[in-house]
Amino acid sequence: MKKISLSFIAVISAALFIAGCGKAPKNYTPLVPQDTFATISWNEERMAKSSMVEFLIKEQNRYNEALVKVLKEKNKDNECLDKMLKSDLKDAYLQALKQSDCKWCLLTVAKPDFKDEKAQIVAIPNTALVAYYKKDQSLDALIERGKENFDMHMKPFLNSTNVMQNLDTFYKENIKLTDETVAGCKVKVITILNKEFEKNITDFEPCVGVLNKRLVILASSKKVFADTVALYKGKITPMAADSQEAKNAILAGDIIYSANFYNLAEIVKEATKKSPIDDENIEKYLSALQTVGIGSSINDEESTISVNLGMKFANEALAQELKVLADGGMGFLNLMVAAKIMQSP
């Protein structure tokens, strides 16, 4: 199952492909479908222009070199470490980011369905990844770019011809791509050929296509793809612009990334009907937890990056109680890190 999952991710990374439907380019803003459980959004245009992001990527390279040096001194596997040291993965990522003409991306996940009594069956919730590009996208160009990016990111680690051949064989034996038309758009439908996977997963028929040459849509099924096209064509009503879900999807100012989960108490209640939570302390927090969000912002002028975590509870007293615990935990963590850095600069 893990191999299938990784293969699926690799196929997606290798493609965000397909020729578009529609004619005139439009300026799209992120839209959130009704009954959304989770949203993950990022501003790739902002990241590509950020001097702080470039600094962090280069700093990661410097850190890797220092880490390899320390590990070698401790007689770790030198062959593996040499490959890591020679890897240009971070530089490759920076190059791909600067070459990207993607403005924003939004991943939406619908509320999970817990109605299936068969515990071994997993129903994939309606999921769509939408990416808006500044320039027209075509099938051939996107496929080629996807392959180039995949090779650039993976070759430092899969530099063996034998490994690449085995990987290619695995794709051919386990994944099938077919051309179809969904909601007036040409799409590639991805089929997993593993029979065991097919038995345990429902509502999963991923496909990818382009709307109006600018909006790349990757959906968990053909129905979700069609619904997403209808959403951006104005045929389906999205969540209100003043809803928290819609506000979180549109990244303003210096925010480059945001991930949010909604109606968690309701989800936990449904998920634990048959197996209630034993720990009373954990249960009291989860039963009152409404939303969880994490986001990152970058300030190039001050050369800072901030990561913020927020939670919303139905019970204010529990929120304050958890805040006290979190503040105490962060203080202890800071002391631990400071002591460790003094021991090993």
Side-chain angles (χ1 to χ4, degrees):
M1 291 296 289
K2 288 183 179 177
K3 287 185 178 179
I4 291 295
S5 176
L6 288 172
S7 299
F8 172 61
I9 292 172
V11 168
I12 299 312
S13 300
L16 271 190
F17 33 29
I18 307 314
C21 61
K23 296 181 180 179
K26 292 183 64 177
N27 184 26
Y28 289 100
T29 56
L31 298 176
V32 180
Q34 300 283 345
D35 202 29
T36 290
F37 161 64
T39 60
I40 300 177
S41 53
W42 60 98
N43 186 335
E44 190 157 315
E45 184 178 41
R46 174 75 179 85
M47 293 171 65
K49 294 178 179 178
S50 171
S51 59
M52 188 61 185
V53 169
E54 183 174 351
F55 166 77
L56 289 173
I57 291 173
K58 290 179 177 179
E59 186 67 7
Q60 183 65 53
N61 272 342
R62 188 196 66 80
Y63 175 81
N64 286 349
E65 292 173 3
L67 178 62
V68 168
K69 182 179 179 181
V70 170
L71 293 176
K72 278 192 171 185
E73 289 173 355
K74 296 186 177 181
N75 297 318
K76 298 297 181 183
D77 185 348
N78 285 342
E79 183 179 351
C80 177
L81 294 175
D82 284 337
K83 287 183 180 180
M84 180 179 173
L85 188 59
K86 292 176 182 177
S87 168
D88 59 352
L89 183 61
K90 295 298 177 183
D91 290 330
Y93 178 77
L94 181 60
Q95 181 183 340
L97 184 63
K98 287 187 172 183
Q99 291 176 347
S100 171
D101 63 348
C102 178
K103 288 177 69 70
W104 55 259
C105 297
L106 173 64
L107 175 71
T108 57
V109 182
K111 177 184 173 182
D113 182 6
F114 299 100
K115 295 178 181 177
D116 199 325
E117 296 297 326
K118 299 177 181 178
Q120 70 272 23
I121 301 297
V122 177
I124 302 298
N126 293 346
T127 303
L129 173 64
V130 180
Y132 174 52
Y133 287 81
K134 292 177 283 187
K135 298 177 183 178
D136 289 356
Q137 302 300 307
S138 69
L139 171 61
D140 293 338
L142 284 167
I143 289 178
E144 189 59 34
R145 189 191 311 163
K147 288 180 178 178
E148 288 176 359
N149 286 341
F150 180 75
D151 287 345
M152 183 166 55
H153 283 70
M154 298 307 295
K155 274 186 176 178
F157 301 98
L158 303 177
N159 54 6
S160 165
T161 302
N162 188 43
V163 171
M164 294 302 289
Q165 287 176 345
N166 290 340
L167 197 60
D168 186 58
T169 301
F170 179 80
Y171 291 152
K172 290 177 180 177
E173 293 177 351
N174 291 279
I175 295 173
K176 181 176 73 173
L177 298 178
T178 54
D179 296 309
E180 295 189 33
T181 299
V182 178
C185 297
K186 293 180 180 179
V187 302
K188 285 283 187 184
V189 179
I190 303 163
T191 304
I192 306 299
L193 303 177
N194 183 287
K195 295 299 181 183
E196 289 301 314
F197 180 86
E198 202 174 62
K199 288 178 184 177
N200 297 315
I201 299 292
T202 62
D203 304 329
F204 186 69
E205 193 178 20
C207 57
V208 60
V210 179
L211 173 64
N212 286 336
K213 299 181 181 180
R214 300 290 180 91
L215 212 61
V216 178
I217 302 171
L218 168 64
S220 57
S221 70
K222 289 187 283 188
K223 179 184 181 304
V224 175
F225 185 94
D227 287 346
T228 305
V229 170
L231 179 71
Y232 281 89
K233 282 187 173 182
K235 297 179 180 179
I236 292 180
T237 304
M239 298 201 75
D242 61 352
S243 67
Q244 193 60 56
E245 289 87 341
K247 289 179 181 178
N248 288 337
I250 300 176
L251 303 181
D254 292 333
I255 302 174
I256 58 170
Y257 168 83
S258 178
N260 302 275
F261 303 87
Y262 309 94
N263 302 315
L264 287 166
E266 182 183 342
I267 299 295
V268 170
K269 182 179 179 181
E270 291 191 40
T272 58
K273 276 183 179 178
K274 292 184 178 180
S275 302
I277 300 171
D278 294 331
D279 192 306
E280 291 184 3
N281 286 324
I282 294 177
E283 196 278 333
K284 76 175 181 179
Y285 285 117
L286 292 181
S287 62
L289 182 58
Q290 294 180 324
T291 62
V292 172
I294 184 169
S296 297
S297 60
I298 281 183
N299 188 317
D300 288 321
E301 292 181 1
E302 297 180 3
S303 297
T304 60
I305 179 168
S306 303
V307 179
N308 300 293
L309 173 66
M311 296 182 181
K312 182 179 179 181
F313 289 86
N315 185 319
E316 185 177 349
L318 283 180
Q320 291 300 322
E321 184 180 316
L322 189 62
K323 182 181 183 302
V324 171
L325 291 172
D327 288 343
M330 286 299 294
F332 180 72
L333 180 61
N334 286 333
L335 289 173
M336 293 276 292
V337 171
K340 194 65 179 175
I341 289 175
M342 289 178 67
Q343 291 176 11
S344 181

